[in-house]
């Protein structure tokens, strides 16, 4: 009997179809990077000019995050983002066949001694990652560095299309990562972190508003942030790290595993969970400020605004809290009049 964490078995027909699709994709992925990056320029133009892919979302996110920049500077950042996003798409295709040697060369791990320390310590280790740079290569590079020395876990959201879901799953597990579905992530993380494991969370997505949200100051905005990662880290006593990825040039990145001193956020209290969440957000903000074009600006990161009952970080000034609370009451009033 299939357990809830096992993936559904493909039928014979699905295996045949997938084999054909995978063969085509794999063949395309073996084409040289120079050709793919040439296509990337055209893809970026199509996305930006013809399709106008999430143009309003991208420009609004950039404008609100960098109020000090002029409209021309915002347009330039948007243009750079579209090109980076197109590069990311073709690099993802290359992930299907990229060799270990090529991956090591293109994602330089600045401090491999941290991975060695993780391997040497038979404890739980929790990595906070983000949608910055090439986050697919980041996950693969870390798995490659720790493979066969410590069990590495990642989280994935199953896709609606079984073909793309299977293709993505195989691509992400090529170098040894054990992927767990999102709906079981928290309980599985708590279990895994009680053993010798390396668990990665990408926690910069916008959380669902079906629960009380925690808002932290991030890029000049009140931003809802997942506090569950900080909660798991403090609850399990896991060693925590931040994956700081930077883009060197097209197709080349650096990756530094930055230890997070969790002793500064003890004991385990709700207040310290929020303080650690604020710290995680500040780490990502510093990365974005250094290279603003390479975050996933097409994501509707600020679709949720504070509402009555949500929790505001103590890092907000008193005047800002008053302003936010007034806006949330206004939102509540408008919804009540609908």
């Amino acid at each position: 009997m299939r357990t809830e964490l096992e993936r559904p078995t493909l039928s014979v027909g699905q295996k045949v179809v997938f084999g054909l699709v995978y063969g085509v994709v794999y063949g395309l992925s073996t084409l040289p990077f120079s050709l793919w990056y040439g296509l990337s320029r055209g893809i970026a133009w199509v996305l930006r000019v013809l399709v106008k892919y999430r143009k309003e979302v991208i420009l609004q996110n950039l404008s609100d995050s960098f109020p000090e920049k002029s409209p021309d500077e915002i347009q330039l950042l948007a243009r750079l983002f579209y090109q980076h996003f197109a590069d990311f798409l073709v690099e993802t295709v290359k992930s299907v066949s990229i060799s270990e040697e090529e991956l090591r060369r293109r994602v330089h791990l600045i401090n491999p001694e941290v991975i060695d320390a993780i391997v040497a310590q038979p404890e739980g280790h929790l990595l906070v990652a983000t949608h910055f740079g090439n986050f697919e290569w980041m996950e693969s590079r870390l798995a490659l560095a720790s493979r066969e020395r410590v069990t590495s876990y990642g989280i994935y959201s199953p896709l609606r299309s079984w073909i793309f879901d299977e293709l993505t799953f195989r691509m992400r597990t090529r170098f040894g990562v054990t992927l767990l579905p999102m709906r079981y992530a928290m309980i599985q993380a708590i279990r895994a972190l009680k053993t010798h494991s390396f668990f990665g969370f990408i926690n910069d997505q916008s959380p669902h508003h079906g629960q009380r949200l925690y808002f932290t100051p991030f890029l000049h905005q009140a931003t809802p942030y997942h506090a569950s990662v900080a909660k798991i880290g403090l609850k399990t006593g896991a060693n925590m790290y931040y994956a700081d990825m930077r883009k060197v040039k097209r197709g080349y990145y650096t990756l530094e595993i930055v230890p997070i001193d969790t002793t500064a956020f003890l004991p385990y209290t709700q207040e310290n969970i929020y303080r650690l969440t604020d710290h995680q957000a500040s780490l990502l903000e510093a990365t974005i400020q250094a290279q603003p074009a390479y975050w996933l600006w097409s994501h509707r990161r600020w679709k949720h605004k504070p509402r009555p009952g949500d929790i505001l970080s103590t890092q907000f000034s008193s005047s800002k809290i008053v302003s936010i609370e007034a806006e949330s009451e206004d939102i509540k009033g408008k919804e009540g009049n609908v």
Side-chain angles (χ1 to χ4, degrees):
M1 178 180 294
R2 182 172 65 88
T3 68
E4 59 185 8
L5 292 181
E6 289 177 340
R7 289 173 57 75
T9 303
L10 298 182
S11 67
V12 174
Q14 286 177 320
K15 289 180 179 179
V16 171
V17 172
F18 180 77
L20 294 173
V21 172
Y22 185 79
V24 172
V25 174
Y26 187 91
L28 291 173
S29 73
T30 61
L31 295 175
F33 271 99
S34 58
L35 176 59
W36 275 112
Y37 284 132
L39 292 173
S40 173
R41 295 186 179 90
I43 294 172
W45 183 85
V46 169
L47 291 173
R48 180 174 58 86
V49 179
L50 292 185
V51 179
K52 297 182 179 179
Y53 174 71
R54 296 196 173 185
K55 179 180 179 180
E56 293 183 2
V57 173
I58 294 167
L59 290 176
Q60 189 67 57
N61 283 346
L62 287 169
S63 297
D64 292 342
S65 299
F66 303 101
E68 75 282 2
K69 294 189 181 295
S70 68
D72 287 344
E73 289 175 314
I74 295 299
Q75 289 289 342
L76 176 59
L77 278 179
R79 188 185 186 99
L80 291 173
F81 165 74
Y82 275 112
Q83 184 57 69
H84 167 71
F85 186 63
D87 288 349
F88 166 75
L89 292 178
V90 302
E91 287 168 3
T92 300
V93 175
K94 290 290 295 182
S95 297
V96 175
S97 64
I98 193 170
S99 67
E100 295 181 7
E101 180 182 358
E102 184 77 7
L103 183 60
R104 287 191 179 96
R105 189 169 66 87
R106 289 183 173 272
V107 182
H108 172 62
L109 188 57
I110 292 177
N111 51 346
E113 67 276 5
V114 174
I115 298 295
D116 293 336
I118 289 172
V119 171
Q121 298 173 22
E123 305 167 349
H125 303 270
L126 178 58
L127 179 79
V128 180
T130 65
H131 289 95
F132 191 91
N134 189 322
F135 44 91
E136 296 286 358
W137 281 4
M138 174 197 68
E139 182 178 57
S140 296
R141 183 64 181 89
L142 288 173
L144 185 58
S146 60
R147 187 174 60 183
E148 299 179 355
R149 299 193 295 167
V150 61
T151 304
S152 298
Y153 294 93
I155 308 299
Y156 84 103
S157 296
L159 304 177
R160 293 181 180 179
S161 167
W162 69 267
I163 291 180
F164 285 107
D165 182 66
E166 188 70 19
L167 184 63
T168 302
F169 189 89
R170 294 196 184 193
M171 178 190 72
R172 291 178 176 174
T173 56
R174 280 189 63 209
F175 298 106
V177 171
T178 298
L179 290 181
L180 300 173
M182 179 69 73
R183 62 183 298 186
Y184 305 114
M186 297 308 165
I187 185 65
Q188 291 300 314
I190 291 174
R191 290 174 181 172
L193 289 170
K194 293 179 181 178
T195 65
H196 189 198
S197 60
F198 190 28
F199 212 109
F201 274 99
I202 292 182
N203 77 326
D204 58 344
Q205 307 100 318
S206 182
H208 297 295
H209 213 308
Q211 55 189 329
R212 291 180 71 191
L213 297 184
Y214 178 69
F215 283 80
T216 186
F218 176 70
L219 294 174
H220 303 283
Q221 300 166 81
T223 306
Y225 227 88
H226 285 284
S228 54
V229 177
K231 182 177 182 178
I232 290 173
L234 294 181
K235 185 178 182 65
T236 61
N239 300 301
M240 295 189 70
Y241 311 86
Y242 171 67
D244 190 5
M245 190 175 217
R246 304 295 173 100
K247 189 168 186 173
V248 179
K249 60 181 180 178
R250 171 178 266 180
Y252 290 88
Y253 303 84
T254 61
L255 178 59
E256 182 177 8
I257 309 305
V258 182
I260 298 175
D261 181 12
T262 54
T263 60
F265 303 96
L266 295 176
Y268 175 73
T269 63
Q270 193 63 56
E271 178 184 356
N272 281 332
I273 290 172
Y274 292 147
R275 288 179 56 237
L276 180 53
T277 301
D278 291 339
H279 181 61
Q280 292 171 0
S282 70
L283 291 172
L284 172 58
E285 183 173 52
T287 301
I288 294 173
Q289 292 285 3
Q291 294 186 316
Y294 305 139
W295 193 45
L296 193 61
W297 294 106
S298 54
H299 176 51
R300 294 183 61 211
R301 188 62 183 83
W302 290 276
K303 60 184 176 182
H304 298 311
K305 303 299 181 182
R307 300 185 183 188
D310 286 336
I311 306 163
L312 302 180
S313 170
T314 57
Q315 289 193 356
F316 288 113
S317 64
S318 298
S319 59
K320 183 63 175 177
I321 290 177
V322 171
S323 173
I324 293 173
E325 289 178 342
E327 290 178 5
S328 67
E329 288 293 342
D330 183 54
I331 292 173
K332 180 181 179 181
K334 290 179 179 179
E335 291 177 345
N337 293 328
V338 175

